[in-house]
Amino acid sequence: LRKALSEEVKDEFDFALKDQFDFVLIDCPPSLGLLTVNALTTADEVIVPVQCEYLALEGLAQLTRTIELVRQNLNRDLRVSGVVLTMFDPRTNLAQQVADEVRGHYPFTFRTVIPRSVRLSEAPSRGLPISLYDPASKGAQAYEALAAELLERIESPVGAGS
């Protein structure tokens, strides 16, 4: 994957793909398998989404250990840009407790929280991103705010993750 992004594409173009974009996002499955490790080995930074559910805290701890192993053995430059709280339901105490726990252990957690939303769940089944499926929805607005916060961090990286 790293080779594919960094080498010149000889077939059609005469440039490296990574040089043509400000950002290349690699979306990984929610597992710690080969695809995820390959992506972590290639990436400069990682954004960690965490569902506001208790078991997600266990997965976050395991992912943190994996990221550290990748950093030690495969990609010394890898760093965590931030943690994103997702599927947040403000009506439940559990969601707030998980959010507080994550923020307590990961101070570089994004301010923006992605709400639990039926519209967010429906968008993939229609083959559309939420920004096209229902741009006025709370989920779309939250992802737009997250993008703005990420750009803000990039322009002023003080306080970013390790």
Side-chain angles (χ1 to χ4, degrees):
L1 182 59
R2 180 180 294 188
K3 185 177 179 181
L5 290 174
S6 63
E7 285 190 354
E8 291 184 0
V9 181
K10 301 282 188 195
D11 295 341
E12 298 179 40
F13 309 105
D14 198 19
F15 57 78
L17 287 175
K18 73 175 189 170
D19 295 335
Q20 299 303 304
F21 302 97
D22 292 328
F23 304 99
V24 175
L25 299 177
I26 305 169
D27 189 10
C28 299
S31 70
L32 296 176
L34 185 58
L35 292 174
T36 302
V37 172
N38 191 24
L40 292 172
T41 301
T42 301
D44 298 321
E45 300 182 31
V46 60
I47 297 172
V48 181
V50 177
Q51 291 182 9
C52 291
E53 300 286 341
Y54 177 74
L55 289 178
L57 293 175
E58 295 295 322
L60 180 57
Q62 188 176 4
L63 178 61
T64 300
R65 286 190 296 276
T66 300
I67 289 170
E68 189 53 39
L69 284 171
V70 168
R71 185 182 295 133
Q72 290 172 4
N73 298 294
L74 301 168
N75 183 357
R76 296 199 183 283
D77 297 327
L78 181 65
R79 69 183 206 71
V80 177
S81 295
V83 176
V84 179
L85 297 167
T86 67
M87 299 182 77
F88 181 81
D89 186 344
R91 300 170 298 175
T92 67
N93 289 332
L94 177 62
Q96 190 58 57
Q97 290 169 352
V98 170
D100 291 344
E101 187 77 16
V102 170
R103 285 190 174 109
H105 284 87
Y106 301 91
F108 45 90
T109 300
F110 286 92
R111 293 182 313 270
T112 304
V113 175
I114 309 302
R116 183 175 295 277
S117 163
V118 171
R119 301 305 274 173
L120 281 172
S121 299
E122 291 172 346
S125 69
R126 303 289 196 268
L128 295 170
I130 191 63
S131 58
L132 293 178
Y133 181 65
D134 188 354
S137 69
K138 288 185 181 201
Q141 293 171 357
Y143 274 110
E144 189 173 318
L146 177 62
E149 186 176 350
L150 179 59
L151 289 173
E152 177 183 303
R153 284 188 182 194
I154 290 167
E155 292 170 2
S156 174
V158 175
S162 55

